[in-house]
């Protein structure tokens, strides 16, 4: 049985005061919600404050990136052990914005996945095709290749407790959600390559209005939520939609 999971990806938004207020509103809205696991992945400078705010709360937190290296002369990088010190449970790995804007390769994403596991963090490995790749009928080839790089380096067993997020690049922040049929097709493809316990999230313009339909799909275990996680009421509504699955 896979407990539904909803993860907010705040990206590089807000400031200390606004993010504190957002998290307070999320915590208030989450009171009494059962049957769904939730987390927020926040900017690095917010981690200390978030750890204090969420102490004793069942909402988990994490980061949006980490270094593939354990330590050393890597100016500007943040290691997995540093994230652990701030109480992180999750870390996003291989988000399409990292791949597209910062040149992260499949190999680097796989190494970051390994670095997260080495510290006891739960990686959320993001995979997804561009519109061009989808239109060329290459979706399975692309997501399969991204997944295989992490499987080759880390082994099948390492996927038993991790999270994989299918995030079609053309659906991220565009308001254009993949149809339930498109999502189920890719999730089924991924499911067949992974241990039964791997949680498979969908990400890409999930909103309160489309969440229930997506989460009802047999191979969708929840969502990775960008824009809608910045509005507490929307995030809570999405959590409620996942609750109906649990
Ligand atoms: C994301 O950034 O991972 C994401 C899914 O964003 P959005 O929900 O805004 O499409």
């Amino acid at each position: 049985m896979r407990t539904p999971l909803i993860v907010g990806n705040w990206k590089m938004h807000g400031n200390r005061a606004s993010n504190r207020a957002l998290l307070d509103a999320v915590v208030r809205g989450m009171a009494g919600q059962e049957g769904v696991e939730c987390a927020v992945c926040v900017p690095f400078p917010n981690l200390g404050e978030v750890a204090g705010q969420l102490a004793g709360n069942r909402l988990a937190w994490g980061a949006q990136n980490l270094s593939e290296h354990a330590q050393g002369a890597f100016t500007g990088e943040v290691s997995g052990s540093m994230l652990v010190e701030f109480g992180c449970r999750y870390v996003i790995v291989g988000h399409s914005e990292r791949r597209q804007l910062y040149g992260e390769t499949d190999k680097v994403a796989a190494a970051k996945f390994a670095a997260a596991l080495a510290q006891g963090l739960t990686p959320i490995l993001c995979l997804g095709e561009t519109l061009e790749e989808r239109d060329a009928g290459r979706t399975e080839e692309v997501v399969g290749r991204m997944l295989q790089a992490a499987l080759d380096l880390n082994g099948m067993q390492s996927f038993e407790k991790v999270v994989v997020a299918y995030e079609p690049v053309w659906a991220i922040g565009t308001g254009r959600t993949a149809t339930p049929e498109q999502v189920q097709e890719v999730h089924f493809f991924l499911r067949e390559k992974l241990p039964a316990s791997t949680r498979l999230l969908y990400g890409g313009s999930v909103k309160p209005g489309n969440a229930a339909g997506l989460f009802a799909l047999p191979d969708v275990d929840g969502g990775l939520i960008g824009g809608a996680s910045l509005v507490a009421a929307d995030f809570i509504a999405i959590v409620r939609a996942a609750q109906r699955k649990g």
Side-chain angles (χ1 to χ4, degrees):
M1 173 68 194
R2 298 177 300 265
T3 309
L5 172 67
I6 300 296
V7 180
N9 175 12
W10 287 5
K11 308 197 184 184
M12 196 176 72
H13 290 295
N15 55 40
R16 284 177 75 179
S18 67
N19 285 347
R20 166 172 275 278
L22 171 60
L23 193 54
D24 273 342
V26 169
V27 168
R28 276 197 306 277
M30 294 273 298
Q33 305 267 356
E34 298 288 335
V36 182
E37 283 178 36
C38 293
V40 284
C41 289
V42 306
F44 291 137
N46 292 123
L47 282 173
E49 197 144 5
V50 166
Q53 246 178 304
L54 290 181
N57 194 286
R58 65 180 199 84
L59 188 65
W61 63 96
Q64 300 164 20
N65 187 24
L66 83 166
S67 171
E68 65 270 42
H69 304 289
Q71 62 164 11
F74 301 104
T75 301
E77 293 291 288
V78 172
S79 70
S81 62
M82 291 170 178
L83 300 183
V84 170
E85 277 196 308
F86 283 93
C88 289
R89 182 182 307 165
Y90 294 100
V91 61
I92 296 173
V93 167
H95 191 279
S96 64
E97 287 152 16
R98 302 293 320 167
R99 293 178 190 264
Q100 297 208 312
L101 304 174
Y102 300 96
E104 273 187 22
T105 60
D106 296 344
K107 226 171 150 182
V108 169
K112 290 187 174 199
F113 185 99
L117 287 177
Q119 293 300 325
L121 291 159
T122 301
I124 300 170
L125 177 68
C126 298
L127 321 165
E129 81 288 3
T130 63
L131 191 54
E132 209 182 10
E133 289 162 340
R134 172 163 282 273
D135 288 346
R138 296 181 51 219
T139 299
E140 292 188 355
E141 172 203 324
V142 171
V143 299
R145 187 201 71 218
M146 291 174 171
L147 180 63
Q148 198 57 49
L151 278 167
D152 285 348
L153 187 66
N154 298 282
M156 183 69 96
Q157 220 187 339
S158 72
F159 274 78
E160 280 174 2
K161 292 199 174 114
V162 308
V163 180
V164 172
Y166 169 53
E167 296 211 308
V169 178
W170 47 274
I172 297 178
T174 57
R176 188 177 160 190
T177 321
T179 65
E181 293 71 26
Q182 289 171 323
V183 174
Q184 175 54 29
E185 199 176 20
V186 178
H187 278 233
F188 180 73
F189 170 77
L190 295 170
R191 178 72 76 213
E192 294 227 294
K193 298 189 174 308
L194 291 166
S197 57
T198 308
R199 281 192 284 188
L200 281 181
L201 308 187
Y202 168 75
S205 297
V206 177
K207 306 286 176 212
N210 59 23
L214 291 162
F215 299 160
L217 297 167
D219 290 307
V220 174
D221 303 314
L224 179 55
I225 318 297
S229 72
L230 300 173
V231 179
D234 287 359
F235 189 66
I236 300 302
I238 290 169
V239 171
R240 290 216 178 94
Q243 213 166 14
R244 289 198 280 278
K245 181 168 186 119

